Amino acid sequence: MTATEPARTRLSRSWSALAQLHGTIEAQVERALERAHGLSLREYSLLDVLSRQHECQGEPLQMKQIADSVTLSQSATTRLVARLESRGLLLRRLCETDRRSIHTGVTASGLALLTEARPTHDAALRAAFDAAAVDPRLAPLVRSVEKLRVPA
Amino acid sequence: MTATEPARTRLSRSWSALAQLHGTIEAQVERALERAHGLSLREYSLLDVLSRQHECQGEPLQMKQIADSVTLSQSATTRLVARLESRGLLLRRLCETDRRSIHTGVTASGLALLTEARPTHDAALRAAFDAAAVDPRLAPLVRSVEKLRVPA
DNA sequence: TAAGATTGATGTATCAATCTTT
DNA sequence: AAAGATTGATACATCAATCTTA
């Protein structure tokens, strides 16, 4: 009769591993981008999202769609976009058909910075995954993620 | 002759999915814990870590070990621990053998709150995973994570 | 009245510098 | 001099409230 705590669920343990993996990778990539290019990871992600939209000739993105794609609140997104706009990396303009919404697209200067930063990002990401693969607690998840094929 | 961007690596796409999954789950669980028990997710995680250490009769944890387990910087950990200490949920005391380091353990009151919050946490976690499984971009990763068996 | 976006108030995370003990 | 922990300065995320257009 041991008065044990309720057992930790399997899902909780998986979630802890996921959170830990995410946290350690995020920290490493963030530092690499910040030092080499003065970009936070969120700023990089935003440029990346906008550039892919630009490349595939899609419509410029609205604030709300951006918020979803970088997993930020709408208000945080407003400020993120404002920061990058003031650095000349992207443009905002009112949507013609619905003047409540705002369209955002990357500038040439934003594309240039992104192109410069991408190798840094990819290398740091690779290194962070490799480092995590050594941790026995994270290794199985790392393997799963690396096997993953996410649709573009 | 299309001047294409360098292709997004497979690892980058996987990482995006991982970040997005992490972000959406974190937001949902955070809100549930905050509303029902006035605990942030980090605060919950800290209590959880300490309680498991307590349960398995292990040594109380040092600040640095705590920082690792909740993926926070040392200074953020100092503040996190200070907040919970001032709420009476954990105790700090100087380590006898090495007076540079500090040992931290959960209190009865902390355990009680944790026990109360755990069902909220687990239910929100379950719901968040289920919601993510519907998103075609996240579904494969969700399945992988749910199949995972993380060693305790 | 609702949707999209922004602003104000507040909390907490990070980096760099510092303090104490080893 | 280095390790563990903390503090000060600063940046950014969230919630709630507000503004504009539909």
Side-chain angles (χ1 to χ4, degrees):
Chain A
M1 277 306 150
T2 51
T4 52
E5 292 278 306
R8 203 138 178 275
T9 64
R10 198 155 76 88
L11 191 59
S12 285
R13 290 204 307 274
S14 299
W15 162 243
S16 290
L18 192 150
Q20 194 146 16
L21 179 62
H22 176 271
T24 180
I25 293 174
E26 181 176 57
Q28 291 172 69
V29 177
E30 171 98 38
R31 256 189 300 262
L33 286 172
E34 193 68 66
R35 293 189 178 182
H37 310 282
L39 278 176
S40 74
L41 181 52
R42 292 253 214 254
E43 290 166 346
Y44 175 89
S45 300
L46 175 51
L47 290 181
D48 186 48
V49 167
L50 293 180
S51 80
R52 276 179 284 128
Q53 192 69 7
H54 177 265
E55 191 190 0
C56 72
Q57 319 267 331
E59 279 301 303
L61 291 173
Q62 295 181 16
M63 299 302 288
K64 197 166 195 184
Q65 301 171 299
I66 291 175
D68 285 343
S69 64
V70 295
T71 328
L72 273 185
S73 66
Q74 264 181 290
S75 71
T77 304
T78 293
R79 285 157 175 145
L80 173 62
V81 167
R83 281 196 305 272
L84 292 194
E85 185 186 35
S86 76
R87 288 170 65 180
L89 302 173
L90 56 79
L91 285 174
R92 279 193 280 198
R93 66 167 209 281
L94 282 162
C95 171
E96 315 268 305
T97 64
D98 181 347
R99 289 208 308 260
R100 285 174 306 183
S101 75
I102 287 187
H103 283 172
T104 302
V106 68
T107 62
S109 156
L111 269 182
L113 179 54
L114 177 64
T115 303
E116 195 185 307
R118 202 188 298 273
T120 304
H121 173 270
D122 289 352
L125 189 59
R126 183 71 263 167
F129 267 101
D130 291 346
V134 171
D135 183 334
R137 207 183 131 69
L138 300 183
L141 177 56
V142 170
R143 278 194 296 274
S144 299
V145 172
E146 290 190 328
K147 259 184 291 195
L148 214 59
R149 288 194 115 323
V150 177
Chain B
M1 275 308 145
T2 52
T4 52
E5 292 278 308
R8 202 136 179 276
T9 65
R10 198 155 75 88
L11 191 59
S12 285
R13 290 204 306 274
S14 299
W15 162 243
S16 291
L18 192 151
Q20 194 147 14
L21 179 62
H22 176 270
T24 180
I25 294 174
E26 181 177 56
Q28 291 173 71
V29 177
E30 172 97 39
R31 257 190 299 262
L33 285 172
E34 193 68 66
R35 292 190 179 180
H37 310 284
L39 279 176
S40 73
L41 182 52
R42 287 277 211 295
E43 290 166 346
Y44 176 89
S45 300
L46 175 52
L47 290 180
D48 186 49
V49 167
L50 294 180
S51 81
R52 275 180 285 128
Q53 192 70 7
H54 177 265
E55 192 190 358
C56 73
Q57 319 266 332
E59 279 301 302
L61 291 173
Q62 294 181 15
M63 299 301 289
K64 195 163 195 184
Q65 301 172 300
I66 292 175
D68 285 343
S69 64
V70 294
T71 326
L72 273 185
S73 68
Q74 264 180 289
S75 70
T77 304
T78 293
R79 286 159 174 143
L80 173 62
V81 167
R83 282 196 304 272
L84 292 194
E85 185 186 35
S86 75
R87 287 170 65 180
L89 302 174
L90 56 80
L91 284 174
R92 278 194 281 198
R93 66 168 210 282
L94 282 162
C95 169
E96 315 267 307
T97 64
D98 181 346
R99 289 207 308 261
R100 285 174 306 182
S101 74
I102 287 186
H103 283 174
T104 302
V106 68
T107 63
S109 157
L111 268 183
L113 179 55
L114 178 64
T115 303
E116 196 185 307
R118 202 188 297 273
T120 304
H121 172 270
D122 290 351
L125 189 58
R126 183 72 262 167
F129 267 99
D130 291 346
V134 170
D135 182 334
R137 208 183 132 69
L138 300 182
L141 177 57
V142 170
R143 278 194 297 274
S144 299
V145 172
E146 289 190 328
K147 260 185 292 194
L148 214 60
R149 290 193 111 326
V150 177

